[in-house]
Amino acid sequence: MPSNPRGGTSALARKPLALLGFMGSGKTVVGALVAARAGARFHDLDLMIEQEAGMTIADIFATRTEAAFRALEKELLPKALTPGSVVALGGGTLIDDANWRLVATQSMTVYLEVPFQAMWGRVHAQSGRPLIAGRSRDEIEALFERRRPRYEESSCRVDGDRPAEVVAAEVMRLWCG
């Protein structure tokens, strides 16, 4: 494997890094930080979907349905998992077993583990999150609990309830060695 000047292997020689977790766990912020530090390409799967559809995720849910969103997600996921890339997965990407098999076999998976209360504090007032719209806190917590077992299957877990820079440094250490 090629090496980089800081030691370890170059970003392109590594498996992609897939960041898992519920909405509000910090996947996008941490992923961008890790990619910048590693000189790697960063893919936010939700942003890729918005670019492909030409509309926001909220608009996709409102005008096309969640099923249409999930179909785009499934189509774009393999394109995101390029060698050496950092990928922030949507919180529900891995509910699909085929998506999970692809991510688990082709990337290093890191679960950004954040207690529900902390995530709720980050996202409950945000607009543009279609899975929150019209749902109670209890309903969102139940959704988190249904998804959590899949997140916990990841190859690594990182305490995501800390400043993003601290989380990114730990993820970087795990991914880059």
Side-chain angles (χ1 to χ4, degrees), residues 30-47:
V30 169
L33 286 169
V34 170
R37 290 176 184 176
R41 185 160 188 168
F42 176 63
H43 299 288
D44 181 318
L45 189 56
D46 285 347
L47 182 57

Side-chain angles (χ1 to χ4, degrees), residues 100-168:
W100 170 245
R101 283 189 298 276
L102 177 69
V103 170
T105 59
Q106 291 193 11
S107 65
M108 176 184 176
T109 56
V110 176
Y111 171 31
L112 300 183
E113 196 167 21
V114 177
F116 179 79
Q117 184 62 35
M119 286 183 291
W120 181 250
R122 295 175 186 179
V123 302
H124 80 277
Q126 292 180 354
S127 62
R129 293 199 182 254
L131 288 176
I132 290 180
R135 291 186 176 175
S136 71
R137 181 193 184 284
D138 289 344
E139 289 172 307
I140 301 303
E141 187 169 14
L143 179 63
F144 167 69
E145 292 300 333
R146 283 194 304 275
R147 291 179 177 178
R148 187 166 56 163
R150 180 55 51 91
Y151 302 149
E152 291 176 346
E153 292 180 44
S154 69
S155 50
C156 301
R157 288 186 194 185
V158 171
D159 176 2
D161 195 19
R162 299 175 290 166
E165 295 79 12
V166 174
V167 176

